Amino acid sequence: MLSEKDSQSVITLCQNLIKAKSYSGNEKAAADCLSSFFKANDFDSVTTDKYGNIIGCIKGKYPGKKLLFDGHIDTVPVSDSDGWLYPPFEAEIHDGRIYGRGTSDMKGAVAAMAYAAAKFAKNSSREFSGEIYVAGVVHEECFEGVAARSISEQIKPDIVIIGEASNLNIKVGQRGRAEIVVETFGVPAHSANPEKGVNAVYNMMKLINEIKQIHPASHEKLGYGISELIDIKSEPYPGKSVVPSYCRATYDRRLLPNETEESVLKPIQDIISKIKASDSGFEAKVGFAYGKEQCYTGETIEAKRFFPAWIYDENSDEVLSVKAEMEKSGFIPKTDCYHFCTNGSHYAGEAGIMTIGIGPSKENLAHTVNEYIEVEQLTKAVEAYCCVMSALL
């Protein structure tokens, strides 16, 4: 159990991070807050990369593995602050809960990671093998794992701990996510003479009906690979007496391990080819959505919206070591998988780095009105992360 002084210190750090409003692309205040903590607590190095990720490092006295704690410092926006019980950027404490945007997703975890690293180094007098990195990551809400590519390239970690909310249970995988864009093309004409054109929306309707018959596979641990139509738009819009010549539909596709860009698109490409063979007026194509955003550093971050799934054996040496160390400290962690996408899409899904998820608070509090983190979860997370360092280093 943490001392009263330790508890108050991590609570204060969490509150300071919440007060540092940091929507995606505007994380500088939160990065500066974390940087100040690193420097004040004798981290060996503090660096900021081109995207604005802030990375603190503590080195043990002996060579060993590089352990990276990953937590994003961007948040989704607050759309209606009047609907909150307490101001979303004041980090007020009521009934044992800290309220505010980002408390659970995931500045509470970031505060606990940073504080745990400093505490572990001090308590052990750095008598450990390896290096501890704590990364405050930007733009995760827009691009799961894209900014993290820069971090893993720089650090080359051996093991990554994702701090997304898990109620302090151990997560060993997640479904991935892709945004699939389907486009159909037609020929414009006056809607009083529709036979002179080709209606792109009718073409899209044919395609949607066929795509609906595709049933993605399932995974015993991760569940179904969902494919869901989430938006559709024709052009010109709004239509005024004209047959639409273009239509675009977007699908949210939840990915399973070993699914590739090619394997995900192929069933739709096959449908397009089949319809085209029997309908000379049908034109369509499919691909992935592409995102482009500005970072607070001035750098542009951009990527195809394809973020892979990943899963590790719950009986791996790393998982069992962490679980045993947590149990020695009174935790009773369950082992399962995240229900949402995380930066693990890069570390585990793309780079093949051993990744484990452990974070304070509940998954279903992310992005909600009146988001909060329980003070007890925050302080226990510090203990849990110290267990992780003890087990792995």
Side-chain angles (χ1 to χ4, degrees):
M1 181 175 287
L2 294 187
S3 68
E4 182 62 33
K5 181 181 177 182
D6 282 333
S7 295
Q8 189 53 57
S9 294
V10 73
I11 289 168
T12 299
L13 177 57
C14 178
Q15 289 177 306
N16 289 341
L17 285 167
I18 299 306
K19 292 174 183 177
K21 183 177 176 181
S22 56
Y23 295 163
S24 301
N26 294 280
E27 302 95 342
K28 188 176 189 305
D32 288 347
C33 176
L34 205 51
S35 177
S36 295
F37 178 84
F38 290 154
K39 291 172 182 176
N41 286 273
D42 300 321
F43 278 62
D44 291 297
S45 65
V46 181
T47 58
T48 303
D49 68 15
K50 63 181 180 179
Y51 296 135
N53 298 312
I54 179 78
I55 307 162
C57 173
I58 293 177
K59 295 183 178 182
K61 289 184 178 179
Y62 315 105
K65 293 180 179 179
K66 294 180 179 180
L67 176 60
L68 169 64
F69 288 87
D70 172 287
H72 67 84
I73 54 175
D74 65 321
T75 73
V76 296
V78 172
S79 57
D80 182 13
S81 58
D82 292 338
W84 286 64
L85 290 171
Y86 311 105
F89 299 103
E90 294 300 320
E92 294 182 10
I93 300 177
H94 298 274
D95 299 321
R97 298 171 173 177
I98 306 173
Y99 284 84
R101 174 56 82 226
T103 45
S104 282
D105 188 23
M106 54 178 292
K107 291 180 177 180
V110 172
M113 288 171 162
Y115 197 81
K119 180 177 172 62
F120 180 79
K122 183 178 179 181
N123 288 355
S124 67
S125 300
R126 303 199 181 212
E127 292 284 338
F128 65 88
S129 302
E131 300 171 13
I132 301 166
Y133 292 85
V134 179
V137 188
V138 302
H139 267 303
E140 189 273 349
E141 296 292 359
C142 301
F143 304 107
E144 297 98 324
V146 177
R149 293 171 183 165
S150 170
I151 296 170
S152 66
E153 182 181 348
Q154 175 184 334
I155 295 172
K156 296 179 172 55
D158 297 290
I159 306 172
V160 176
I161 305 299
I162 298 288
E164 295 278 10
S166 73
N167 210 23
L168 297 177
N169 290 308
I170 297 171
K171 304 291 185 177
V172 294
Q174 59 157 84
R175 286 182 301 187
R177 184 176 73 88
E179 289 180 28
I180 300 174
V181 174
V182 180
E183 299 170 283
T184 54
F185 307 90
V187 177
H190 197 290
S191 54
N193 302 291
E195 72 281 357
K196 296 186 181 300
V198 176
N199 193 313
V201 174
Y202 291 156
N203 281 345
M204 182 62 76
M205 290 166 64
K206 292 178 185 178
L207 194 46
I208 286 173
N209 286 333
E210 291 285 343
I211 292 173
K212 199 172 181 180
Q213 305 309 311
I214 299 173
H215 300 292
S218 64
H219 186 277
E220 60 176 346
K221 299 283 189 184
L222 297 175
Y224 288 97
I226 295 167
S227 180
E228 186 67 17
L229 177 65
I230 57 173
D231 70 44
I232 186 166
K233 187 176 181 180
S234 62
E235 292 181 9
Y237 182 86
K240 295 186 183 298
S241 300
V242 63
V243 170
S245 57
Y246 175 78
C247 190
R248 171 188 169 115
T250 306
Y251 284 82
D252 186 306
R253 177 71 156 79
R254 298 293 155 156
L255 306 170
L256 298 177
N258 301 317
E259 287 194 301
T260 65
E261 294 180 18
E262 293 76 16
S263 69
V264 168
L265 292 184
K266 188 176 186 304
I268 301 176
Q269 290 168 334
D270 290 345
I271 289 170
I272 290 172
S273 297
K274 183 182 79 171
I275 298 175
K276 210 169 179 179
S278 60
D279 184 349
S280 60
F282 183 84
E283 288 292 336
K285 68 177 183 179
V286 62
F288 295 105
Y290 195 84
K292 186 175 183 180
E293 300 286 344
Q294 192 79 12
C295 299
Y296 76 83
T297 58
E299 186 77 19
T300 297
I301 186 168
E302 51 190 312
K304 189 182 297 180
R305 294 193 182 278
F306 185 94
F307 312 113
W310 57 277
I311 191 163
Y312 283 101
D313 184 354
E314 62 184 68
N315 293 312
S316 67
D317 290 343
E318 294 87 351
V319 173
L320 292 178
S321 295
V322 168
K323 188 174 183 181
E325 197 70 31
M326 290 179 69
E327 288 172 344
K328 283 196 316 190
S329 293
F331 292 93
I332 310 174
K334 295 183 295 184
T335 305
D336 56 8
C337 299
Y338 282 120
H339 292 105
F340 52 82
C341 205
T342 75
N343 276 342
S345 283
H346 165 64
Y347 297 117
E350 292 179 342
I353 301 168
M354 178 69 201
T355 300
I356 301 170
I358 302 173
S361 202
K362 302 170 185 175
E363 293 185 35
N364 63 359
L365 291 174
H367 303 184
T368 59
V369 173
N370 299 317
E371 182 183 352
Y372 66 84
I373 186 170
E374 294 175 354
V375 170
E376 184 181 20
Q377 278 278 305
L378 176 64
T379 56
K380 282 188 173 296
V382 176
E383 298 177 56
Y385 292 141
C386 286
C387 290
V388 170
M389 288 178 262
S390 181
L392 299 177
L393 300 180

